Amino acid sequence: MVKGITIVRKAASPAVFEGLAGLFGALGFEAGKGWQEEFSRSAPFLAPLGNLEFVDGTLPATPEILIEVTGLDSVHEIASKWAKANGDPSAETVSPISGTHWKSRLFTVEPAPGLVFGFWEWADVLAGRPVAVEGDLSAAGMRFAIVVARWNAVITDRLLQGSLDALYRSGARRADVQVVRVPGAWEVPSAARTIAETGSVDAIVTLGCLLRGETAHYEAIYNEVARGIGQSQQETGVPHAFGVLTCDTLEQALDRAGLKAGNKGFEAAVAAIEMVSLHRKIAVQESAPSRAGGVSR
């Protein structure tokens, strides 16, 4: 059985060899198992998919070696930085990105004279790939509970406001959002589990804040809180969004509660909305065959 395709190219000089290895390393290729002998050495780079293509008639105006990527603009930026760092201030060895007649975008890199690589991606990023099932960010018609710890309230109140902001901005009705306060992070899983078992909500947002002290108390509490929330989600089937901060200092917690690094309460609520939507879409897909033709599985 065919296992893979390998293209072997000789570098014109040790400097070219080092340059090629540096370029492909910078682009994030996985390094393979090379070899080193007295008069030669190799630097293999691996890709998850290989193609061998034959053409009858006129060859397309593309390099012989084409490398399909995702995020072509980022790849182009990395290649340009590499070119400038390796003696090409104008980065002329890297061409601009241009469209092709085969519904893609492409640029070329010539790291050594006569050795040209083409990097490309489909203009439609979903071309050739299965369309993923993803949740929408509309909370209309959804019911939520927010379980928030009172301990470290200067942080958790900010997280709560972020969660409410996300839910209301996304279309949730105030009557469909229940806020439940518990003494501390330790009590969050118990309250979340009780609410989930009632079946009265579509998702639960869990909020709390644990700050590291000088004892092992922090690790013990965090591990049990994370385990309890995860177990409640898995056993009840109700999505639980994790918004419990675990920080070394109060300053770090403030940054993650809206000061510098976004608001994790907002992010947790957005995740909860998406998961409810995703669950509903999957349920519709699973029930579609039986409705259409009575097919059972």
Side-chain angles (χ1 to χ4, degrees):
M1 297 294 290
V2 175
K3 184 178 180 180
I5 297 173
T6 300
I7 299 174
V8 180
R9 291 295 173 102
K10 184 179 184 302
S13 68
V16 171
F17 176 88
E18 297 290 350
L20 291 170
L23 171 62
F24 279 78
L27 290 172
F29 277 78
E30 179 185 355
K33 186 177 180 180
W35 46 266
Q36 173 120 22
E37 297 179 352
E38 185 178 358
F39 299 107
S40 63
R41 56 179 171 161
S42 74
F45 292 91
L46 310 179
L49 179 65
N51 297 298
L52 180 61
E53 187 169 335
F54 299 100
V55 176
D56 179 24
T58 304
L59 284 170
T62 60
E64 183 181 10
I65 300 178
L66 291 171
I67 302 168
E68 184 180 0
V69 300
T70 58
L72 187 70
D73 297 286
S74 297
V75 175
H76 185 270
E77 181 180 355
I78 293 171
S80 298
K81 288 181 179 178
W82 174 89
K84 291 180 180 179
N86 285 268
D88 184 3
S90 63
E92 290 181 355
T93 57
V94 181
S95 74
I97 297 175
S98 60
T100 71
H101 68 279
W102 37 287
K103 298 180 181 180
S104 67
R105 302 164 66 232
L106 176 144
F107 75 90
T108 61
V109 180
E110 190 173 2
L115 187 58
V116 183
F117 300 93
F119 292 84
W120 69 281
E121 72 174 351
W122 291 108
D124 177 4
V125 295
L126 296 179
R129 299 180 178 86
V131 178
V133 180
E134 297 180 279
D136 299 321
L137 295 180
S138 171
M142 298 178 182
R143 300 163 300 166
F144 299 91
I146 303 175
V147 180
V148 56
R150 287 195 303 270
W151 189 258
N152 289 322
V154 67
I155 303 297
T156 59
D157 282 351
R158 292 169 181 256
L159 298 176
L160 174 60
Q161 290 305 312
S163 292
L164 293 172
D165 186 28
L167 295 177
Y168 296 151
R169 282 174 182 262
S170 301
R173 296 190 312 153
R174 294 180 182 272
D176 290 333
V177 179
Q178 177 186 12
V179 177
V180 177
R181 293 187 180 271
V182 296
W186 177 262
E187 290 76 26
V188 168
S190 175
R193 178 64 175 260
T194 301
I195 296 168
E197 288 178 341
T198 67
S200 61
V201 298
D202 298 303
I204 299 171
V205 181
T206 59
L207 304 177
C209 177
L210 291 168
L211 299 179
R212 186 184 299 275
E214 296 180 355
T215 68
H217 183 72
Y218 169 89
E219 285 81 5
I221 295 293
Y222 169 71
N223 289 333
E224 287 303 306
V225 170
R227 184 192 62 80
I229 293 172
Q231 185 174 340
S232 176
Q233 174 176 250
Q234 294 164 8
E235 295 182 359
T236 65
V238 176
H240 290 41
F242 194 84
V244 179
L245 297 184
T246 54
C247 303
D248 290 330
T249 66
L250 179 62
E251 182 181 4
Q252 291 176 354
L254 286 169
D255 286 344
R256 298 176 65 189
L259 200 60
K260 292 182 180 179
N263 187 305
K264 299 305 177 183
F266 187 100
E267 294 174 12
V270 168
I273 295 168
E274 185 171 350
M275 288 305 297
V276 174
S277 176
L278 181 62
H279 278 214
R280 290 179 177 181
K281 288 184 178 182
I282 293 173
V284 169
Q285 286 187 341
E286 289 297 309
S287 62
S290 59
R291 292 203 310 268
V295 179
S296 60
R297 291 183 293 169

